[in-house]
């Protein structure tokens, strides 16, 4: 009988990821916590013989373990753990060549836009931006198009794209569908099951969950992609370190609890924000009036803990950032601590102003990543900051 995802988060380390031979060969002395193999290289038993590991840039047992766990949670065939989420996207872009074209969502994380505009374009890869939640993607496909790249929900405007519908378009035209699943985590959403070819995560966020490490993941379900990326990760050398791999393994054990608690609090806070006179708009996909609500119900098991809202003026937005106490004014998301972010000068500072405003990221816009604190305490902090 398949394990429930809550159980998988805790026990994948010692069940599905290990073959019977592996269990018999090395049980780590019964350790419940997977060991940190803090080594750069490995001694060989003899000429032509290997322990299975040669050099930690190629692979390390702790990194291999976190890759297996994330791969299982996303229902892929292989996963790749990298030093940051941006390192993961950078590695993935190496599968494309000069002259290739990608259709990308216009409302992506600012760092992704910065990479595409300043590094990928320099490498002669071209992009067409679209609101993939509503635009006619098929009409944007060119002979050189190789992939469609989306986030859903998007960062920070929470636009929701129908993954299965876009996957059908991609398959029809022989394109890859790449989905950044950071906001939902594999606990709430599994894009590969909906037809995507590649899933991206900033493991720094919900997977690790404690604002104490950086990590990135690529998960695939295609043997050709798997072989390309395994070659590229050893060649480019941005694999996740043993200790950071262990921190992500530790974080995943509480993923289910954190996601459920944070989502519950986010819903309460979002409803409270809607009642505040100084708040002009609250964007949360768990509200029935959200244009992506029905799609989320179909393709996800929850709505997440990210809330974007607008206030009445720039001065009010800046005042809230200055006055929050329990909630921290910081860049990032997905940790146990609740964070409030100002996309205009933080996550999306390098996005051209014209594109920011077109996407709805105005100077009055704030993004809230709800953590696991008591919801009423968080509301009290927001109340004193807003009112």
């Amino acid at each position: 009988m398949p394990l429930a995802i809550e159980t998988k988060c805790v026990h994948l380390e010692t069940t599905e990821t290990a073959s019977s031979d592996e269990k018999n060969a090395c049980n780590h002395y019964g350790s419940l916590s997977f060991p940190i193999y803090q080594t750069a290289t490995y001694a060989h038993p003899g000429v032509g013989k290997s322990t299975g590991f040669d050099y930690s840039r190629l692979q390390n047992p702790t990194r291999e373990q976190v890759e297996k766990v994330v791969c299982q949670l996303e229902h892929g065939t292989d996963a790749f753990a990298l030093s940051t989420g941006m390192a993961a996207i950078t590695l993935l872009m190496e599968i494309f060549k000069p002259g290739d074209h990608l259709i990308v969502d216009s409302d992506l994380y600012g760092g992704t836009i910065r990479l595409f505009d300043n590094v990928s374009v320099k490498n002669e890869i071209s992009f067409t931006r679209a609101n993939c939640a509503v635009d006619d993607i098929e009409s944007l496909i060119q002979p050189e198009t190789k992939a469609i790249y989306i986030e859903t929900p998007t960062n920070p405007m929470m636009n929701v794209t129908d993954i299965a519908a876009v996957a059908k378009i991609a398959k029809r035209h022989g394109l890859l569908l790449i989905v950044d699943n950071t906001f939902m985590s594999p606990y709430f959403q599994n894009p590969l099951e909906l037809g995507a070819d590649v899933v991206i995560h900033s493991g720094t966020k919900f997977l690790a969950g404690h604002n104490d490490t950086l990590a990135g993941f690529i998960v695939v379900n295609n043997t050709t992609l798997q072989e390309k990326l395994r070659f590229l990760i050893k060649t480019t050398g941005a694999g996740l370190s043993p200790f950071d791999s262990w921190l992500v393994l530790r974080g995943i054990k509480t993923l289910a609890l954190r996601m459920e608690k944070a989502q519950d609090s986010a819903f309460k806070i979002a409803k409270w924000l809607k009642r505040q006179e100084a708040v002009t708009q609250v964007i949360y996909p768990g509200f029935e009036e959200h244009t992506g609500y029905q799609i989320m119900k179909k393709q996800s098991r929850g709505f997440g803990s990210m809330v974007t809202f607008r206030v009445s003026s720039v001065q009010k937005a800046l005042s809230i950032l200055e006055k929050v106490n329990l909630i921290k004014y910081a860049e990032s998301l997905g940790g146990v601590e609740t964070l409030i972010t100002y996309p205009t000068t933080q996550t999306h500072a390098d996005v051209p102003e014209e594109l920011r405003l077109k996407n709805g990221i105005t100077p009055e816009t704030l993004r809230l990543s709800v953590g696991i604190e008591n919801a009423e305490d968080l509301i009290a902090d927001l109340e004193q900051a807003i009112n």
Side-chain angles (χ1 to χ4, degrees):
M1 179 177 174
L3 297 176
I5 190 167
E6 297 93 333
T7 307
K8 284 185 176 183
C9 288
V10 178
H11 289 291
L12 266 179
E13 289 190 12
T14 53
T15 54
E16 295 183 30
T17 64
S19 67
S20 58
D21 288 341
E22 288 172 327
K23 289 176 186 175
N24 292 333
C26 182
N27 65 12
H28 309 293
Y29 304 97
S31 172
L32 291 181
S33 176
F34 196 91
I36 303 168
Y37 284 88
Q38 193 65 50
T39 183
T41 191
Y42 307 82
H44 297 291
V47 177
K49 299 177 182 178
S50 173
T51 61
F53 297 92
D54 301 307
Y55 189 64
S56 279
R57 174 167 47 77
L58 281 67
Q59 190 53 293
N60 173 282
T62 318
R63 190 178 97 206
E64 182 181 71
Q65 186 64 20
V66 75
E67 289 176 344
K68 287 179 178 180
V69 169
V70 173
C71 185
Q72 289 279 342
L73 291 176
E74 280 290 12
H75 307 156
T77 57
D78 203 359
F80 306 84
L82 293 111
S83 57
T84 66
M86 289 311 305
I89 300 170
T90 300
L91 182 78
L92 182 63
M93 293 307 294
E94 290 296 327
I95 70 174
F96 302 108
K97 64 182 187 301
D100 286 350
H101 170 259
L102 280 73
I103 298 168
V104 302
D105 204 296
S106 58
D107 186 39
L108 297 174
Y109 165 58
T112 306
I113 294 172
R114 181 175 60 235
L115 174 74
F116 290 169
D117 286 356
N118 294 280
V119 179
S120 301
V121 168
K122 179 259 299 180
N123 293 336
E124 299 182 27
I125 298 167
S126 63
F127 299 88
T128 296
R129 291 192 175 100
N131 181 341
C132 293
V134 296
D135 290 350
D136 180 7
I137 299 174
E138 202 153 14
S139 68
L140 303 175
I141 296 172
Q142 304 174 11
E144 301 81 15
T145 306
K146 295 295 186 291
I148 302 168
Y149 187 111
I150 65 173
E151 293 174 5
T152 181
T154 60
N155 182 1
M157 299 311 297
M158 310 301 288
N159 300 325
V160 175
T161 298
D162 188 327
I163 297 172
V166 177
K168 288 178 182 176
I169 295 171
K171 294 289 187 294
R172 231 177 0 249
H173 294 271
L175 310 179
L176 295 176
L177 175 57
I178 303 162
V179 181
D180 187 323
N181 198 31
T182 298
F183 267 24
M184 297 306 290
S185 88
Y187 180 74
F188 280 139
Q189 186 169 270
N190 296 117
L192 296 179
E193 295 283 284
L194 298 165
D197 301 286
V198 182
V199 170
I200 290 280
H201 283 281
S202 172
T204 309
K205 312 305 193 293
F206 291 104
L207 288 173
H210 290 76
N211 290 321
D212 57 7
T213 189
L214 301 177
F217 290 91
I218 304 170
V219 189
V220 299
N221 60 0
N222 174 296
T223 304
T224 303
L225 273 178
Q226 176 180 334
E227 291 172 353
K228 285 182 181 178
L229 289 167
R230 191 55 67 189
F231 173 81
L232 286 167
I233 194 172
K234 76 174 182 180
T235 302
T236 55
L240 192 61
S241 75
F243 184 61
D244 291 315
S245 297
W246 180 84
L247 285 171
V248 178
L249 283 171
R250 184 192 63 172
I252 289 173
K253 287 190 175 186
T254 59
L255 179 65
L257 299 174
R258 290 185 286 104
M259 296 302 291
E260 291 287 357
K261 171 62 176 173
Q263 176 182 245
D264 182 62
S265 294
F267 191 56
K268 292 176 182 175
I269 291 167
K271 288 195 292 185
W272 179 85
L273 284 168
K274 286 177 71 174
R275 300 194 297 269
Q276 305 313 300
E277 186 177 343
V279 177
T280 61
Q281 184 182 16
V282 181
I283 308 171
Y284 181 64
F287 289 152
E288 291 188 21
E289 66 266 25
H290 190 288
T291 55
Y293 176 77
Q294 292 300 331
I295 296 171
M296 289 287 285
K297 285 189 68 177
K298 178 180 69 171
Q299 70 185 19
S300 307
R301 295 178 291 274
F303 300 100
S305 56
M306 302 299 299
V307 181
T308 296
F309 65 102
R310 289 198 185 96
V311 292
S312 54
S313 67
V314 178
Q315 292 73 24
K316 175 61 74 173
L318 298 178
S319 173
I320 292 168
L321 295 171
E322 293 280 351
K323 290 181 178 179
V324 286
N325 293 317
L326 184 64
I327 297 167
K328 302 306 178 188
Y329 169 31
E331 189 167 350
S332 198
L333 61 99
V336 293
E337 298 90 357
T338 298
L339 305 180
I340 191 166
T341 299
Y342 193 44
T344 297
T345 62
Q346 290 183 301
T347 55
H348 291 69
D350 290 331
V351 176
E353 182 180 19
E354 181 183 355
L355 180 58
R356 277 205 313 267
L357 295 174
K358 181 181 178 182
N359 289 342
I361 307 171
T362 68
E364 299 83 17
T365 303
L366 298 168
R367 191 193 73 187
L368 198 65
S369 171
V370 181
I372 64 170
E373 305 96 335
N374 179 277
E376 297 305 318
D377 289 338
L378 295 172
I379 288 170
D381 191 31
L382 284 169
E383 183 164 27
Q384 63 82 26
I386 293 173
N387 300 319

